[in-house]
Amino acid sequence: MPRIHIPSIEGYTCYRKYLSDIILCKDIKDSPMSYRYLAKNINCSPSYLNDVVKGRTNLRLGKAMAIANFLRMDAATKAKWLLLLLKEIEDEDVFRYFEEQLQNASAFLRQYE
């Protein structure tokens, strides 16, 4: 499988924009990434991914995990990716809880850098 370049998640506030940027990969020559390629590898339809990016449907949490695993996101990127998703699909209390957990984990890990 070719190595897929993914942009840094820092600065993103919307999971849809991040997903769109991953799929489009306009800055990477010969990237295999496309709606069809990603959909095939996470077992969904290209039209589902297009609907997610366009805001017509929400990304399911299971598919978000499948994308993270397929792209081999590191733990911090995966956590932020899922947090962006939760921010849009869950209520504010759920989002705040996981955001706090991520901040606590990040602070803990920084002690050992």
Side-chain angles (χ1 to χ4, degrees):
M1 177 176 78
R3 178 78 174 127
I4 304 295
H5 168 78
I6 61 171
S8 169
I9 199 165
E10 296 305 318
Y12 281 88
T13 59
C14 175
Y15 80 90
R16 294 174 201 281
K17 174 66 174 144
Y18 187 63
L19 180 58
S20 174
D21 287 354
I22 289 170
I23 292 170
L24 296 179
C25 283
K26 290 182 178 178
D27 59 330
I28 305 297
K29 186 179 179 184
D30 300 325
S31 173
M33 189 57 74
S34 66
Y35 284 101
R36 179 171 287 154
Y37 183 78
L38 182 58
K40 177 184 174 197
N41 285 282
I42 65 163
N43 196 27
C44 71
S45 71
S47 62
Y48 168 72
L49 291 176
N50 188 47
D51 286 345
V52 167
V53 168
K54 300 289 185 195
R56 292 187 286 258
T57 192
N58 286 323
L59 185 63
R60 293 185 304 270
L61 194 53
K63 289 300 177 196
M65 285 297 295
I67 290 169
N69 292 335
F70 172 69
L71 296 175
R72 298 182 189 140
M73 288 181 183
D74 61 51
T77 300
K78 185 186 290 188
K80 290 175 185 174
W81 161 246
L82 295 173
L83 190 60
L84 287 177
L85 176 62
L86 288 172
K87 182 179 180 181
E88 290 193 34
I89 65 170
E90 290 293 334
D91 67 26
E92 218 28 58
D93 290 335
V94 172
F95 169 73
R96 271 188 251 121
Y97 170 78
F98 284 107
E99 183 177 44
E100 182 179 303
Q101 296 305 309
L102 179 59
Q103 288 171 352
N104 291 342
S106 294
F108 176 78
L109 292 174
R110 276 193 297 274
Q111 296 176 54
Y112 299 98
E113 290 179 342

